[in-house]
Amino acid sequence: MAYDKKLLADARRALERDRAARLDELEERRRDVYAREPRIRAIDRELSSTAAAVLKAAMESGGDPEAAIAQLRDRNLSLQEERARLLRGLGLPGDYLSDKPLCALCGDTGYNGSALCVCVKERYAQLLKEQLSAVLPIQDQNFSRFNMGYYSTRPDARLGVSPRENMEYNLDECKAYAANFGKDSPNLLLYGSTGLGKTFLSTCIAEAVSARGFSVAYDTAINIVSAYETIKFGNGDGAAAAERAARYERADLLIIDDMGTEMGTAFTVSALYNLINNRLMAKRPMIINTNLLPEALSEKYSPAVASRLLGEFMALRFFGDDIRLLKKRM
């Protein structure tokens, strides 16, 4: 998994903010309790100072450090029991002033041993979801909302199967892809006419993959080419375009929507070829949605692009009635 450095830094900052808020709340509790029962303040002061004092005295006097430690332990236990009794007398839990990290695994440090803690990974996954929801309707378009009822059960005369049977296969493949996604996942080419669910299913995959902590970059082919044009020719916000391009290139999964609708210039073909080829070389999976059939892809793009799309991607064909038109009739 390739972490988005900016989002990972944001996740760590979120943990630090939560930790600071927890400590502020604990300090507020202490101030309130100390005002109500000053003896508890005295106990806390003694608990924080006795360890160093007892050990220092034992070392200076040449006494037995083990005996000093035992004495210290007994005294501290006695003080803790007294504090718990006083807190309960105030109607509070005995551990009301104990420091309780939000994450028991890492103590709110963000690391479990040398590995990134699950609490940071969870925050990172949430930030990924928020980032993705800004460009895709993942709340409304996910596997649980996929409606097979829009697809006819009447067999296609040319293909021998019905749109419903075909989409059941496609849905199963997409669910499996999302569930098993990793750095060795294949690339998908979703092709067929408009309004058949290609974008919907790729959004479903994006939502499921993002929820597992993988970074997902989504954009239309037109917008992707536009970003590279801005970088090349300086005709816009170069910094924003460079940031977008970095996401296209480094995300664990890249989804290119509406490929084939962009202008077919030499620069366009070159930009898309370089992006696709570089990700193939780096073994970073892609999903490409297009309205073009394989023969049309070969006509629109260079042989180099077409060979990669047709040879390095697992193709899923979509056919049937335009769902957008069906919805309008209902």
Side-chain angles (χ1 to χ4, degrees), residues 31-60:
R31 284 194 293 266
D32 176 64
V33 168
Y34 291 167
R36 295 167 63 187
E37 178 50 79
R39 172 58 186 158
I40 294 178
R41 180 199 294 268
I43 290 173
D44 282 350
R45 284 178 174 172
E46 185 174 350
L47 284 170
S48 65
S49 63
T50 50
V54 170
L55 291 175
K56 180 180 179 183
M59 296 300 292
E60 290 177 349

Side-chain angles (χ1 to χ4, degrees), residues 50 54 57-58 64-78:
T50 50
V54 170
D64 182 1
E66 291 186 6
I69 291 172
Q71 179 185 2
L72 171 65
R73 182 180 62 250
D74 293 343
R75 176 59 178 164
N76 281 357
L77 287 173
S78 176

Side-chain angles (χ1 to χ4, degrees), residues 104-121:
L105 290 176
C106 72
D108 296 347
T109 64
Y111 287 90
N112 187 4
S114 61
L116 197 65
C117 186
V118 65
C119 67
V120 176
K121 293 179 180 179

